[in-house]
Amino acid sequence: MRFTALLHHLTPQRLRESFYALKRDAAPGVDGVGWKEYRQTLDSRLDALHATIHRGSYRARPVRRTYIPKADGTQRPLGVAALEDKIVQHALVTVLNAIYESDFVGFSYGFRPGRNQHDALDAVFVAIERRKINWVVDADFRKFFDTIDLRWAQRFLTHRIGDQRVLRLISKWLTAGVMEGVQLSQPEMGTPQGAVLTPLTQRAISSLSAW
């Protein structure tokens, strides 16, 4: 089933709830705006944000690139989105989660609301204790998010989302580019880790496998 009317769910109240769901001490994106600063004029900002979304004039900002060290000595690139992008992404993800949740089986845990890695480990422990297990396979996709083909990612989304306004909104985030220092790049592949939207992209791809 494809859902063709979704944008109306991005209400001022949902945007407000998404704003308060964000981390209050998170680093700012390229806009330089922090959570506490935005809250000072929250009502007027959210009203204006809601209006731009529904007029179709909303513009996504580039993601600010930052790096965190990994245990093997390499660095993991993360993307820090602008605050308003985080708000709208979070609000849209709460809407789309209701669609994609129906596609997943019970033993799926990745990026699902109300589930985390500890729940997955508990499930593995129970399975090992109660069933005869001969093999445990630990696998990972190398640089999965860094190598996602953005065109194919958007095609995966269209299998369940038929609202062109929502698809254009997601496309704006996927193609907004990455700001590293003062250099803006617009890679044809990859989506920055750390953005609210990134798990949704992965879920859209995984949901087809779940069928």
Side-chain angles (χ1 to χ4, degrees), residues 12-23:
Q13 180 59 30
R14 190 178 298 276
L15 294 175
R16 175 182 291 273
E17 292 169 357
S18 292
F19 170 75
Y20 281 106
L22 299 178
K23 293 181 179 180

Side-chain angles (χ1 to χ4, degrees), residues 113-165:
R115 297 188 174 202
N116 56 40
Q117 64 270 32
H118 300 294
D119 298 321
L121 289 173
D122 287 342
V124 170
F125 176 80
V126 171
I128 292 175
E129 286 288 305
R130 297 183 181 180
R131 297 174 181 269
K132 184 179 180 180
I133 303 296
N134 295 320
W135 296 92
V136 176
V137 179
D138 180 14
D140 189 15
F141 290 100
R142 184 180 181 183
K143 295 185 177 181
F144 174 78
F145 291 112
D146 295 337
T147 56
I148 289 178
D149 187 308
L150 299 183
R151 291 172 296 179
W152 275 102
Q154 293 178 72
R155 290 183 65 178
F156 276 114
L157 290 167
T158 63
H159 282 271
R160 299 290 268 143
I161 304 171
D163 191 329
Q164 294 300 316
R165 299 169 301 172

Side-chain angles (χ1 to χ4, degrees), residues 2-210:
R2 297 177 75 232
F3 293 81
T4 58
L6 294 170
L7 193 68
H8 67 279
H9 290 294
L10 293 186
T11 62
Q13 180 59 30
R14 190 178 298 276
L15 294 175
R16 175 182 291 273
E17 292 169 357
S18 292
F19 170 75
Y20 281 106
L22 299 178
K23 293 181 179 180
R24 306 187 179 193
D25 57 349
V30 297
D31 58 345
V33 179
W35 191 92
K36 293 180 180 178
E37 178 186 347
Y38 197 90
R39 186 180 59 173
Q40 294 175 1
T41 53
L42 182 62
D43 291 338
S44 60
R45 286 178 182 264
L46 291 183
D47 286 343
L49 179 59
H50 177 262
T52 60
I53 293 170
H54 288 268
R55 283 199 308 265
S57 58
Y58 171 86
R59 298 186 65 180
R61 291 176 177 266
V63 172
R64 182 173 67 83
R65 176 80 77 194
T66 187
Y67 295 88
I68 60 172
K70 297 173 64 175
D72 61 2
T74 61
Q75 291 186 316
R76 181 189 302 277
L78 294 180
V80 182
L83 186 61
E84 287 196 336
D85 288 327
K86 289 181 182 178
I87 295 171
V88 185
Q89 286 181 20
H90 187 282
L92 184 59
V93 166
T94 60
V95 173
L96 299 185
N97 273 342
I99 296 173
Y100 287 108
E101 272 298 293
S102 64
D103 294 336
F104 286 89
V105 292
F107 55 77
S108 175
Y109 287 85
F111 300 117
R112 295 183 64 184
R115 297 188 174 202
N116 56 40
Q117 64 270 32
H118 300 294
D119 298 321
L121 289 173
D122 287 342
V124 170
F125 176 80
V126 171
I128 292 175
E129 286 288 305
R130 297 183 181 180
R131 297 174 181 269
K132 184 179 180 180
I133 303 296
N134 295 320
W135 296 92
V136 176
V137 179
D138 180 14
D140 189 15
F141 290 100
R142 184 180 181 183
K143 295 185 177 181
F144 174 78
F145 291 112
D146 295 337
T147 56
I148 289 178
D149 187 308
L150 299 183
R151 291 172 296 179
W152 275 102
Q154 293 178 72
R155 290 183 65 178
F156 276 114
L157 290 167
T158 63
H159 282 271
R160 299 290 268 143
I161 304 171
D163 191 329
Q164 294 300 316
R165 299 169 301 172
V166 169
L167 292 173
R168 283 194 295 270
L169 193 58
I170 295 174
S171 178
K172 290 179 181 181
W173 289 317
L174 292 178
T175 59
V178 176
M179 184 70 74
E180 190 163 356
V182 296
Q183 185 68 36
L184 175 64
S185 62
Q186 293 182 307
E188 295 183 0
M189 298 185 68
T191 177
Q193 296 185 53
V196 179
L197 187 69
T198 303
L200 175 66
T201 306
Q202 189 269 349
R203 284 163 59 80
I205 297 172
S206 301
S207 67
L208 293 181
S209 301

